[in-house]
Amino acid sequence: MRSLVAFPILILTVVLQSAIVSRISLLAGFGDLVLVMLIAWALQEGVVTGWHWAGLAALLMAFVSGLPWFVTLVSYFVSVFMAQLLQRRIWQAPMLAMFLVTFLGTLFYHLLSYTVLRISGLPIPFGEAMGTVTLPSLLLNLLLALPLYWVMRDLARWVYPVEEVE
């Protein structure tokens, strides 16, 4: 039953991403609500479904994204892996881990996207892609990181309640 909460949350997040967040741009970059939400979920203590959420989110984003499906899948899995790795190592500074994984996950996603688009034959200059797409997207994702971390923290406490000891 606990795993079923992923379906409405991820569907709502993908709808919000495609309808609202993708319309809010800074230069040519936009925030990735789904990526930041996955990172925030994977960083929560007691959460064991990060990989399931990443797979489901990648499948949902494959339908609304213009990129090949494997770009989203690999990026989301790498981001969840980094989040879970840091969650075990930096458990006393979760916000530091949130900002670090959001930074690295966004960079990885954009570099992988750039590489796939270059292989596909699109002549995109690297400096222009970094300056007008990646850096603004990075800023927007970092702005989304703080509120999403707290929302996912509350959701994780509701889904995985801590047993009270008397």
Side-chain angles (χ1 to χ4, degrees):
M1 284 305 274
R2 291 179 179 175
S3 298
L4 293 179
V5 76
F7 289 102
I9 298 294
L10 287 173
I11 290 171
L12 177 67
T13 305
V14 169
V15 168
L16 287 174
Q17 170 68 36
S18 61
I20 297 172
V21 177
S22 65
R23 306 292 187 256
I24 302 170
S25 64
L26 182 63
L27 295 177
F30 57 91
D32 192 343
L33 186 68
V34 179
L35 175 68
V36 178
M37 189 263 320
L38 283 174
I39 293 168
W41 179 252
L43 282 172
Q44 301 307 316
E45 187 176 345
V47 169
V48 294
T49 57
W51 298 106
H52 304 105
W53 283 51
L56 181 59
L59 289 175
L60 291 172
M61 285 302 290
F63 289 114
V64 298
S65 175
L67 288 171
W69 61 271
F70 62 86
V71 172
T72 309
L73 184 72
V74 170
S75 298
Y76 287 175
F77 279 142
V78 167
S79 297
V80 167
F81 174 74
M82 286 188 293
Q84 289 184 343
L85 186 67
L86 282 179
Q87 194 266 340
R88 291 186 201 114
R89 304 253 190 256
I90 311 177
W91 59 273
Q92 291 183 346
M95 288 311 302
L96 175 65
M98 180 67 189
F99 288 127
L100 181 63
V101 176
T102 300
F103 182 84
L104 295 175
T106 302
L107 280 179
F108 181 78
Y109 181 72
H110 281 265
L111 287 174
L112 184 61
S113 300
Y114 176 79
T115 303
V116 168
L117 291 175
R118 286 291 288 184
I119 291 171
S120 298
L122 291 173
I124 304 169
F126 183 74
E128 186 177 329
M130 289 298 290
T132 60
V133 178
T134 301
L135 293 178
S137 297
L138 185 59
L139 177 64
L140 291 172
N141 283 352
L142 289 173
L143 289 173
L144 288 171
L146 188 61
L148 275 176
Y149 178 80
W150 294 110
V151 168
M152 292 285 94
R153 181 174 163 237
D154 287 344
L155 180 66
R157 287 184 177 173
W158 179 67
V159 174
Y160 299 103
V162 178
E163 296 180 17
E164 295 180 16
V165 179
E166 292 186 36

mmCIF file with all atom_site columns, all heavy atoms in Angstrom, residues 104-119:
data_model
loop_
_atom_site.group_PDB
_atom_site.id
_atom_site.type_symbol
_atom_site.label_atom_id
_atom_site.label_alt_id
_atom_site.label_comp_id
_atom_site.label_asym_id
_atom_site.label_entity_id
_atom_site.label_seq_id
_atom_site.pdbx_PDB_ins_code
_atom_site.Cartn_x
_atom_site.Cartn_y
_atom_site.Cartn_z
_atom_site.occupancy
_atom_site.B_iso_or_equiv
_atom_site.pdbx_formal_charge
_atom_site.auth_seq_id
_atom_site.auth_comp_id
_atom_site.auth_asym_id
_atom_site.auth_atom_id
_atom_site.pdbx_PDB_model_num
ATOM 1   N N   . LEU A 1 104 ? 24.436 18.450 -8.890  1.00 0.00 ? 104 LEU A N   1
ATOM 2   C CA  . LEU A 1 104 ? 25.078 17.414 -9.697  1.00 0.00 ? 104 LEU A CA  1
ATOM 3   C C   . LEU A 1 104 ? 24.087 16.706 -10.620 1.00 0.00 ? 104 LEU A C   1
ATOM 4   O O   . LEU A 1 104 ? 24.417 16.385 -11.773 1.00 0.00 ? 104 LEU A O   1
ATOM 5   C CB  . LEU A 1 104 ? 25.779 16.401 -8.790  1.00 0.00 ? 104 LEU A CB  1
ATOM 6   C CG  . LEU A 1 104 ? 26.961 16.935 -7.980  1.00 0.00 ? 104 LEU A CG  1
ATOM 7   C CD1 . LEU A 1 104 ? 27.481 15.866 -7.031  1.00 0.00 ? 104 LEU A CD1 1
ATOM 8   C CD2 . LEU A 1 104 ? 28.054 17.441 -8.897  1.00 0.00 ? 104 LEU A CD2 1
ATOM 9   N N   . GLY A 1 105 ? 22.878 16.435 -10.134 1.00 0.00 ? 105 GLY A N   1
ATOM 10  C CA  . GLY A 1 105 ? 21.868 15.769 -10.951 1.00 0.00 ? 105 GLY A CA  1
ATOM 11  C C   . GLY A 1 105 ? 21.443 16.612 -12.144 1.00 0.00 ? 105 GLY A C   1
ATOM 12  O O   . GLY A 1 105 ? 21.269 16.100 -13.251 1.00 0.00 ? 105 GLY A O   1
ATOM 13  N N   . THR A 1 106 ? 21.286 17.913 -11.918 1.00 0.00 ? 106 THR A N   1
ATOM 14  C CA  . THR A 1 106 ? 20.928 18.807 -13.016 1.00 0.00 ? 106 THR A CA  1
ATOM 15  C C   . THR A 1 106 ? 22.052 18.880 -14.048 1.00 0.00 ? 106 THR A C   1
ATOM 16  O O   . THR A 1 106 ? 21.796 18.817 -15.256 1.00 0.00 ? 106 THR A O   1
ATOM 17  C CB  . THR A 1 106 ? 20.614 20.214 -12.480 1.00 0.00 ? 106 THR A CB  1
ATOM 18  O OG1 . THR A 1 106 ? 19.545 20.120 -11.535 1.00 0.00 ? 106 THR A OG1 1
ATOM 19  C CG2 . THR A 1 106 ? 20.207 21.158 -13.599 1.00 0.00 ? 106 THR A CG2 1
ATOM 20  N N   . LEU A 1 107 ? 23.282 19.004 -13.575 1.00 0.00 ? 107 LEU A N   1
ATOM 21  C CA  . LEU A 1 107 ? 24.412 19.033 -14.509 1.00 0.00 ? 107 LEU A CA  1
ATOM 22  C C   . LEU A 1 107 ? 24.500 17.745 -15.312 1.00 0.00 ? 107 LEU A C   1
ATOM 23  O O   . LEU A 1 107 ? 24.711 17.773 -16.538 1.00 0.00 ? 107 LEU A O   1
ATOM 24  C CB  . LEU A 1 107 ? 25.717 19.268 -13.761 1.00 0.00 ? 107 LEU A CB  1
ATOM 25  C CG  . LEU A 1 107 ? 26.026 20.699 -13.365 1.00 0.00 ? 107 LEU A CG  1
ATOM 26  C CD1 . LEU A 1 107 ? 27.349 20.766 -12.618 1.00 0.00 ? 107 LEU A CD1 1
ATOM 27  C CD2 . LEU A 1 107 ? 26.047 21.604 -14.563 1.00 0.00 ? 107 LEU A CD2 1
ATOM 28  N N   . PHE A 1 108 ? 24.341 16.603 -14.642 1.00 0.00 ? 108 PHE A N   1
ATOM 29  C CA  . PHE A 1 108 ? 24.409 15.321 -15.341 1.00 0.00 ? 108 PHE A CA  1
ATOM 30  C C   . PHE A 1 108 ? 23.307 15.211 -16.386 1.00 0.00 ? 108 PHE A C   1
ATOM 31  O O   . PHE A 1 108 ? 23.547 14.790 -17.524 1.00 0.00 ? 108 PHE A O   1
ATOM 32  C CB  . PHE A 1 108 ? 24.319 14.167 -14.341 1.00 0.00 ? 108 PHE A CB  1
ATOM 33  C CG  . PHE A 1 108 ? 24.415 12.820 -14.993 1.00 0.00 ? 108 PHE A CG  1
ATOM 34  C CD1 . PHE A 1 108 ? 25.645 12.317 -15.389 1.00 0.00 ? 108 PHE A CD1 1
ATOM 35  C CD2 . PHE A 1 108 ? 23.275 12.071 -15.243 1.00 0.00 ? 108 PHE A CD2 1
ATOM 36  C CE1 . PHE A 1 108 ? 25.735 11.082 -16.021 1.00 0.00 ? 108 PHE A CE1 1
ATOM 37  C CE2 . PHE A 1 108 ? 23.359 10.839 -15.864 1.00 0.00 ? 108 PHE A CE2 1
ATOM 38  C CZ  . PHE A 1 108 ? 24.591 10.344 -16.254 1.00 0.00 ? 108 PHE A CZ  1
ATOM 39  N N   . TYR A 1 109 ? 22.091 15.584 -16.018 1.00 0.00 ? 109 TYR A N   1
ATOM 40  C CA  . TYR A 1 109 ? 20.947 15.517 -16.926 1.00 0.00 ? 109 TYR A CA  1
ATOM 41  C C   . TYR A 1 109 ? 21.195 16.375 -18.167 1.00 0.00 ? 109 TYR A C   1
ATOM 42  O O   . TYR A 1 109 ? 20.966 15.941 -19.297 1.00 0.00 ? 109 TYR A O   1
ATOM 43  C CB  . TYR A 1 109 ? 19.683 15.960 -16.199 1.00 0.00 ? 109 TYR A CB  1
ATOM 44  C CG  . TYR A 1 109 ? 18.427 15.914 -17.030 1.00 0.00 ? 109 TYR A CG  1
ATOM 45  C CD1 . TYR A 1 109 ? 17.844 14.706 -17.366 1.00 0.00 ? 109 TYR A CD1 1
ATOM 46  C CD2 . TYR A 1 109 ? 17.821 17.082 -17.478 1.00 0.00 ? 109 TYR A CD2 1
ATOM 47  C CE1 . TYR A 1 109 ? 16.687 14.658 -18.131 1.00 0.00 ? 109 TYR A CE1 1
ATOM 48  C CE2 . TYR A 1 109 ? 16.672 17.049 -18.229 1.00 0.00 ? 109 TYR A CE2 1
ATOM 49  C CZ  . TYR A 1 109 ? 16.106 15.835 -18.551 1.00 0.00 ? 109 TYR A CZ  1
ATOM 50  O OH  . TYR A 1 109 ? 14.973 15.790 -19.315 1.00 0.00 ? 109 TYR A OH  1
ATOM 51  N N   . HIS A 1 110 ? 21.687 17.590 -17.960 1.00 0.00 ? 110 HIS A N   1
ATOM 52  C CA  . HIS A 1 110 ? 21.907 18.491 -19.089 1.00 0.00 ? 110 HIS A CA  1
ATOM 53  C C   . HIS A 1 110 ? 23.102 18.067 -19.944 1.00 0.00 ? 110 HIS A C   1
ATOM 54  O O   . HIS A 1 110 ? 23.051 18.194 -21.173 1.00 0.00 ? 110 HIS A O   1
ATOM 55  C CB  . HIS A 1 110 ? 22.057 19.927 -18.593 1.00 0.00 ? 110 HIS A CB  1
ATOM 56  C CG  . HIS A 1 110 ? 20.745 20.555 -18.267 1.00 0.00 ? 110 HIS A CG  1
ATOM 57  N ND1 . HIS A 1 110 ? 20.051 21.332 -19.146 1.00 0.00 ? 110 HIS A ND1 1
ATOM 58  C CD2 . HIS A 1 110 ? 19.969 20.478 -17.156 1.00 0.00 ? 110 HIS A CD2 1
ATOM 59  C CE1 . HIS A 1 110 ? 18.911 21.720 -18.595 1.00 0.00 ? 110 HIS A CE1 1
ATOM 60  N NE2 . HIS A 1 110 ? 18.853 21.218 -17.387 1.00 0.00 ? 110 HIS A NE2 1
ATOM 61  N N   . LEU A 1 111 ? 24.149 17.576 -19.317 1.00 0.00 ? 111 LEU A N   1
ATOM 62  C CA  . LEU A 1 111 ? 25.290 17.098 -20.108 1.00 0.00 ? 111 LEU A CA  1
ATOM 63  C C   . LEU A 1 111 ? 24.922 15.870 -20.928 1.00 0.00 ? 111 LEU A C   1
ATOM 64  O O   . LEU A 1 111 ? 25.328 15.740 -22.092 1.00 0.00 ? 111 LEU A O   1
ATOM 65  C CB  . LEU A 1 111 ? 26.488 16.810 -19.199 1.00 0.00 ? 111 LEU A CB  1
ATOM 66  C CG  . LEU A 1 111 ? 27.194 18.036 -18.631 1.00 0.00 ? 111 LEU A CG  1
ATOM 67  C CD1 . LEU A 1 111 ? 28.265 17.612 -17.629 1.00 0.00 ? 111 LEU A CD1 1
ATOM 68  C CD2 . LEU A 1 111 ? 27.794 18.874 -19.745 1.00 0.00 ? 111 LEU A CD2 1
ATOM 69  N N   . LEU A 1 112 ? 24.149 14.963 -20.338 1.00 0.00 ? 112 LEU A N   1
ATOM 70  C CA  . LEU A 1 112 ? 23.701 13.786 -21.088 1.00 0.00 ? 112 LEU A CA  1
ATOM 71  C C   . LEU A 1 112 ? 22.766 14.191 -22.222 1.00 0.00 ? 112 LEU A C   1
ATOM 72  O O   . LEU A 1 112 ? 22.884 13.687 -23.350 1.00 0.00 ? 112 LEU A O   1
ATOM 73  C CB  . LEU A 1 112 ? 23.020 12.786 -20.145 1.00 0.00 ? 112 LEU A CB  1
ATOM 74  C CG  . LEU A 1 112 ? 22.584 11.466 -20.752 1.00 0.00 ? 112 LEU A CG  1
ATOM 75  C CD1 . LEU A 1 112 ? 23.781 10.698 -21.298 1.00 0.00 ? 112 LEU A CD1 1
ATOM 76  C CD2 . LEU A 1 112 ? 21.855 10.629 -19.708 1.00 0.00 ? 112 LEU A CD2 1
ATOM 77  N N   . SER A 1 113 ? 21.867 15.117 -21.952 1.00 0.00 ? 113 SER A N   1
ATOM 78  C CA  . SER A 1 113 ? 20.961 15.610 -23.000 1.00 0.00 ? 113 SER A CA  1
ATOM 79  C C   . SER A 1 113 ? 21.750 16.270 -24.123 1.00 0.00 ? 113 SER A C   1
ATOM 80  O O   . SER A 1 113 ? 21.468 16.042 -25.308 1.00 0.00 ? 113 SER A O   1
ATOM 81  C CB  . SER A 1 113 ? 19.973 16.620 -22.420 1.00 0.00 ? 113 SER A CB  1
ATOM 82  O OG  . SER A 1 113 ? 19.203 16.051 -21.409 1.00 0.00 ? 113 SER A OG  1
ATOM 83  N N   . TYR A 1 114 ? 22.720 17.101 -23.750 1.00 0.00 ? 114 TYR A N   1
ATOM 84  C CA  . TYR A 1 114 ? 23.549 17.776 -24.756 1.00 0.00 ? 114 TYR A CA  1
ATOM 85  C C   . TYR A 1 114 ? 24.295 16.761 -25.619 1.00 0.00 ? 114 TYR A C   1
ATOM 86  O O   . TYR A 1 114 ? 24.340 16.878 -26.844 1.00 0.00 ? 114 TYR A O   1
ATOM 87  C CB  . TYR A 1 114 ? 24.542 18.718 -24.073 1.00 0.00 ? 114 TYR A CB  1
ATOM 88  C CG  . TYR A 1 114 ? 25.494 19.376 -25.029 1.00 0.00 ? 114 TYR A CG  1
ATOM 89  C CD1 . TYR A 1 114 ? 25.090 20.467 -25.793 1.00 0.00 ? 114 TYR A CD1 1
ATOM 90  C CD2 . TYR A 1 114 ? 26.788 18.897 -25.188 1.00 0.00 ? 114 TYR A CD2 1
ATOM 91  C CE1 . TYR A 1 114 ? 25.960 21.066 -26.692 1.00 0.00 ? 114 TYR A CE1 1
ATOM 92  C CE2 . TYR A 1 114 ? 27.659 19.492 -26.082 1.00 0.00 ? 114 TYR A CE2 1
ATOM 93  C CZ  . TYR A 1 114 ? 27.244 20.573 -26.829 1.00 0.00 ? 114 TYR A CZ  1
ATOM 94  O OH  . TYR A 1 114 ? 28.104 21.149 -27.720 1.00 0.00 ? 114 TYR A OH  1
ATOM 95  N N   . THR A 1 115 ? 24.869 15.744 -24.978 1.00 0.00 ? 115 THR A N   1
ATOM 96  C CA  . THR A 1 115 ? 25.612 14.717 -25.702 1.00 0.00 ? 115 THR A CA  1
ATOM 97  C C   . THR A 1 115 ? 24.713 13.974 -26.687 1.00 0.00 ? 115 THR A C   1
ATOM 98  O O   . THR A 1 115 ? 25.081 13.763 -27.843 1.00 0.00 ? 115 THR A O   1
ATOM 99  C CB  . THR A 1 115 ? 26.253 13.726 -24.710 1.00 0.00 ? 115 THR A CB  1
ATOM 100 O OG1 . THR A 1 115 ? 27.077 14.446 -23.805 1.00 0.00 ? 115 THR A OG1 1
ATOM 101 C CG2 . THR A 1 115 ? 27.070 12.681 -25.429 1.00 0.00 ? 115 THR A CG2 1
ATOM 102 N N   . VAL A 1 116 ? 23.520 13.599 -26.248 1.00 0.00 ? 116 VAL A N   1
ATOM 103 C CA  . VAL A 1 116 ? 22.596 12.873 -27.122 1.00 0.00 ? 116 VAL A CA  1
ATOM 104 C C   . VAL A 1 116 ? 22.147 13.758 -28.280 1.00 0.00 ? 116 VAL A C   1
ATOM 105 O O   . VAL A 1 116 ? 22.065 13.294 -29.431 1.00 0.00 ? 116 VAL A O   1
ATOM 106 C CB  . VAL A 1 116 ? 21.386 12.352 -26.309 1.00 0.00 ? 116 VAL A CB  1
ATOM 107 C CG1 . VAL A 1 116 ? 20.279 11.866 -27.211 1.00 0.00 ? 116 VAL A CG1 1
ATOM 108 C CG2 . VAL A 1 116 ? 21.829 11.251 -25.375 1.00 0.00 ? 116 VAL A CG2 1
ATOM 109 N N   . LEU A 1 117 ? 21.892 15.025 -27.998 1.00 0.00 ? 117 LEU A N   1
ATOM 110 C CA  . LEU A 1 117 ? 21.477 15.926 -29.072 1.00 0.00 ? 117 LEU A CA  1
ATOM 111 C C   . LEU A 1 117 ? 22.613 16.174 -30.076 1.00 0.00 ? 117 LEU A C   1
ATOM 112 O O   . LEU A 1 117 ? 22.363 16.278 -31.278 1.00 0.00 ? 117 LEU A O   1
ATOM 113 C CB  . LEU A 1 117 ? 20.972 17.248 -28.487 1.00 0.00 ? 117 LEU A CB  1
ATOM 114 C CG  . LEU A 1 117 ? 19.651 17.160 -27.731 1.00 0.00 ? 117 LEU A CG  1
ATOM 115 C CD1 . LEU A 1 117 ? 19.317 18.502 -27.080 1.00 0.00 ? 117 LEU A CD1 1
ATOM 116 C CD2 . LEU A 1 117 ? 18.526 16.708 -28.640 1.00 0.00 ? 117 LEU A CD2 1
ATOM 117 N N   . ARG A 1 118 ? 23.842 16.259 -29.593 1.00 0.00 ? 118 ARG A N   1
ATOM 118 C CA  . ARG A 1 118 ? 24.991 16.429 -30.499 1.00 0.00 ? 118 ARG A CA  1
ATOM 119 C C   . ARG A 1 118 ? 25.181 15.185 -31.364 1.00 0.00 ? 118 ARG A C   1
ATOM 120 O O   . ARG A 1 118 ? 25.475 15.286 -32.553 1.00 0.00 ? 118 ARG A O   1
ATOM 121 C CB  . ARG A 1 118 ? 26.279 16.706 -29.718 1.00 0.00 ? 118 ARG A CB  1
ATOM 122 C CG  . ARG A 1 118 ? 26.391 18.081 -29.131 1.00 0.00 ? 118 ARG A CG  1
ATOM 123 C CD  . ARG A 1 118 ? 26.553 19.118 -30.171 1.00 0.00 ? 118 ARG A CD  1
ATOM 124 N NE  . ARG A 1 118 ? 27.896 19.014 -30.735 1.00 0.00 ? 118 ARG A NE  1
ATOM 125 C CZ  . ARG A 1 118 ? 28.379 19.835 -31.625 1.00 0.00 ? 118 ARG A CZ  1
ATOM 126 N NH1 . ARG A 1 118 ? 27.659 20.816 -32.068 1.00 0.00 ? 118 ARG A NH1 1
ATOM 127 N NH2 . ARG A 1 118 ? 29.591 19.681 -32.091 1.00 0.00 ? 118 ARG A NH2 1
ATOM 128 N N   . ILE A 1 119 ? 25.037 14.007 -30.766 1.00 0.00 ? 119 ILE A N   1
ATOM 129 C CA  . ILE A 1 119 ? 25.156 12.756 -31.533 1.00 0.00 ? 119 ILE A CA  1
ATOM 130 C C   . ILE A 1 119 ? 24.038 12.672 -32.577 1.00 0.00 ? 119 ILE A C   1
ATOM 131 O O   . ILE A 1 119 ? 24.247 12.158 -33.676 1.00 0.00 ? 119 ILE A O   1
ATOM 132 C CB  . ILE A 1 119 ? 25.149 11.543 -30.585 1.00 0.00 ? 119 ILE A CB  1
ATOM 133 C CG1 . ILE A 1 119 ? 26.447 11.519 -29.771 1.00 0.00 ? 119 ILE A CG1 1
ATOM 134 C CG2 . ILE A 1 119 ? 24.972 10.246 -31.354 1.00 0.00 ? 119 ILE A CG2 1
ATOM 135 C CD1 . ILE A 1 119 ? 26.456 10.485 -28.662 1.00 0.00 ? 119 ILE A CD1 1
#
